[in-house]
């Protein structure tokens, strides 16, 4: 038997499933409110992107979501990595503050959302704060873990060669921990997206989450699916870009 | 004048696990002449590595009158312009190429880029690893990795090289081959080498002098001059005689060390906390 090509197998599976979905939808009499065919979704996506669909202000909303995600992730990344460094910098600091972070990490963040809305209001800032809140912890913990796992000999060697303080940190500890830190950033990015979109779905006043909700409550099922696919695509592209940056940094 | 002079140096540390003060070196004195190849040989736990670390300035010693002079100056910290230090493990940074690993020590001294590269390549050539300059450490065998570490130490072009059981983790063949290389490099470039090992054969094979340690707390029991002609043949009659002579000195200490290992539980070698 010839060797199975993983890519071919994967594409075949997806194509077969889509074809089944298409055929079954076309043949059955299930209401278009419940399910729509893949080609219908694709057509709806095109309409949304060329602004001929009835989705309100698609680009404004999509852009808002993207900006919210980028700001939230930027903040989570910078503050998360710095906090992780601080926690890992000394045993005393770690012992003192890490339990607080662990408690915050463990609670389901969604139950705090109403409080955030009360404190900050219903604007983009609320979604950004929530996105940060959901995404930051994995970044903190991975940064701290990465730095703590640096082999003591790595530091000893640098020390014996005359390196000290900040130079040891930047030339040895940070590169040694880079992989773990980047893995944390990647996870944190995914969580931040979830946080921002959850915030939008709950607030329902702007952003992709808002238009998805709009399509849902108005039974525009084709639009709903099309928007979900677009949102997923943004997520996939963003993840790919982060992956590229990651490979570039680690090599 | 000896290039390294250790006079009456002790080392005690507080062992957190047992909450006791442990003395690993007891008023140790040793002088190393320039261009010597000195072996520090002793039972495990006798403090020979500690002494090496103290000479390297990596570990402080007790401030009770002892002193360590290297090239006539008191040791206060690492001095990579004078001393290169080699660990038991290669300790290569996996994110750096072989060349960049060798250059790492020179970077600290802010030697400019082309000069750094040239010097690193020169020593990689010396150990036959030039073609691996752009490889990453994960692509190297254990012996090759330790050769790179040797390059990194040599590239500093220091007068003194301190080596802490550098070949202990290698298989026997690589160990002998690397030892040969080290000796031939030492004979050509004339540096002072202090080499810690617990292998009798390695000690006799490599060293000009062999300092035998007592069991903990470590003192130098005897300094044996090893004037066997080079190249030395492992297993030759005079080689075996020398091994035997060293072993006669070491034997009692090894027995004492393994006995005190048991005694440690009974706190015999532990000093009460002051």
């Amino acid at each position: 038997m010839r060797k199975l090509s993983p890519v071919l197998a994967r594409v075949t599976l997806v194509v077969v499933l889509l074809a089944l979905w298409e055929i079954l939808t076309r043949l059955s009499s299930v209401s278009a409110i419940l399910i729509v065919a893949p080609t219908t979704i694709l057509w709806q996506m095109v309409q949304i992107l060329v602004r001929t669909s009835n989705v309100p202000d698609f680009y404004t909303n999509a852009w808002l979501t993207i900006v919210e995600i980028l700001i939230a992730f930027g903040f989570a990344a910078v503050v998360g990595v710095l906090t992780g460094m601080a926690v890992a910098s000394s045993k005393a600091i770690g012992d003192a503050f890490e339990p607080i972070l662990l408690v915050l990490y463990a609670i389901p963040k969604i139950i705090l959302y109403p409080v955030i809305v009360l404190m900050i209001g219903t604007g983009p800032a609320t979604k950004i704060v929530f996105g940060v809140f959901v995404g930051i912890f994995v970044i903190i913990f991975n940064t701290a873990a990465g730095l703590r796992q640096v082999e003591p000999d790595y530091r000893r060697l640098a020390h014996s060669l005359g390196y000290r303080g900040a130079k040891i940190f930047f030339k040895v500890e940070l590169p040694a921990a880079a992989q773990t830190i980047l893995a944390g950033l990647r996870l944190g990015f995914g969580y931040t997206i979830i946080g921002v979109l959850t915030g939008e779905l709950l607030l329902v006043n702007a952003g992709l989450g808002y238009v998805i909700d709009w399509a849902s409550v108005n039974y525009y099922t084709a639009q709903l699916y099309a928007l979900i696919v677009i949102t997923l695509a943004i997520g996939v592209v963003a993840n790919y870009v982060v992956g590229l940056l990651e490979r570039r940094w680690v090599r | 004048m000896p290039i390294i002079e250790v006079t009456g140096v002790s080392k005690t540390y507080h062992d957190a696990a047992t909450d006791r003060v442990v003395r690993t070196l007891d008023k140790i004195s040793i002088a190393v002449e320039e261009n010597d190849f000195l072996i520090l040989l002793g039972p495990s736990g006798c403090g020979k590595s500690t002494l090496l670390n103290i000479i390297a300035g990596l570990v402080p010693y007790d401030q009770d009158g002892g002193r360590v002079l290297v090239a006539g100056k008191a040791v206060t910290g690492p001095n990579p312009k004078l001393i290169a230090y080699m660990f038991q493990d290669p300790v290569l940074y996996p994110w750096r190429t072989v060349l960049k690993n060798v250059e790492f020590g020179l970077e600290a001294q802010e030697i400019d880029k082309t000069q750094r590269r040239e010097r690193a390549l020169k020593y990689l050539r010396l150990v036959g690893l030039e073609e691996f300059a752009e490889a990453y450490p994960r692509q190297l065998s254990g012996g090759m990795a330790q050769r790179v570490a040797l390059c990194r130490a040599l590239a500093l072009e220091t007068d003194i090289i301190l080596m802490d059981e550098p070949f202990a983790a290698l298989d026997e063949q690589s160990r002998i081959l690397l030892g040969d290389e080290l000796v031939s490099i030492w004979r050509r470039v004339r540096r002072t080498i202090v080499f810690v090992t617990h292998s009798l054969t390695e000690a006799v094979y490599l060293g000009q002098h062999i300092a035998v340690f007592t069991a903990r707390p470590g003192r130098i029991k005897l300094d044996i001059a090893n004037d066997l002609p080079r190249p030395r043949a492992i297993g030759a009659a005079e080689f075996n005689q020398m091994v035997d002579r060293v072993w006669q000195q070491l034997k009692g200490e090894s027995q004492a060390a393994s006995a005190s290992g048991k005694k440690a539980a009974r706190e015999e070698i532990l000093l009460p906390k002051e």
Side-chain angles (χ1 to χ4, degrees), chain B residues 261-272:
Chain B
K262 288 171 208 147
K263 269 191 256 168
R266 283 180 267 134
E267 298 159 10
E268 291 265 341
I269 58 154
L270 302 174
L271 301 172

Side-chain angles (χ1 to χ4, degrees), chain A residues 64-65 68 72 104 107-135 191-207 209-210:
Chain A
L64 177 73
T65 300
E68 284 166 354
L104 286 173
I107 53 169
K109 319 248 169 338
I110 196 80
I111 58 165
L112 290 180
Y113 195 61
V115 183
I116 299 175
V117 174
L118 275 179
M119 285 195 298
I120 308 177
T122 55
T126 301
K127 293 169 272 181
I128 292 171
V129 167
F130 192 61
V132 170
F133 195 44
V134 174
Y191 290 158
T192 305
I193 294 180
I194 294 172
V196 169
L197 285 173
T198 310
E200 288 186 345
L201 282 167
L202 289 173
L203 273 179
V204 204
N205 58 11
Y210 158 66

Side-chain angles (χ1 to χ4, degrees), chain B residues 33-49:
Chain B
E33 295 298 330
E34 221 168 327
N35 301 335
D36 195 3
F37 196 136
L38 174 73
I39 304 285
L40 303 182
L41 180 69
S44 57
C46 71
K48 53 197 191 295
S49 291

Side-chain angles (χ1 to χ4, degrees), chain A residues 78-98:
Chain A
V78 172
V79 177
V81 169
L82 289 176
T83 309
M85 286 174 183
V87 170
S89 68
S90 91
K91 191 168 163 357
I93 294 177
D95 287 349
F97 301 112
E98 214 164 357

Side-chain angles (χ1 to χ4, degrees), chain A residues 153-175:
Chain A
D153 268 357
Y154 284 5
R155 292 194 195 94
R156 282 183 68 209
L157 174 77
H159 181 58
S160 79
L161 290 168
Y163 287 92
R164 47 186 77 224
K167 271 203 152 171
I168 292 187
F169 182 75
F170 285 108
K171 288 225 166 194
V172 178
E173 294 177 319
L174 210 47

Side-chain angles (χ1 to χ4, degrees), chain B residues 3 5 13 21 27-28 37 42 60-61 84 87 90 102-103 152 156 159 167-168 173 229 241 246:
Chain B
I3 189 162
E5 251 188 303
Y13 69 93
V21 173
K27 298 216 183 306
I28 202 164
F37 196 136
Y61 53 94
F87 295 82
V102 177
E103 284 183 30
R152 184 180 52 207
L156 292 173
D159 290 338
F167 308 144
Q173 293 145 44
Q241 277 165 18
V246 178

Side-chain angles (χ1 to χ4, degrees), chain A residues 35-64:
Chain A
I35 194 157
V36 291
T39 48
T40 315
I41 296 168
L42 194 66
W43 175 236
Q44 187 55 239
M45 279 169 66
V46 174
Q47 284 187 304
I48 289 172
L49 292 174
V50 300
R51 302 178 212 241
T52 52
S53 98
N54 61 345
V55 173
D57 302 320
F58 168 74
Y59 280 101
T60 317
N61 282 307
W63 182 241
L64 177 73

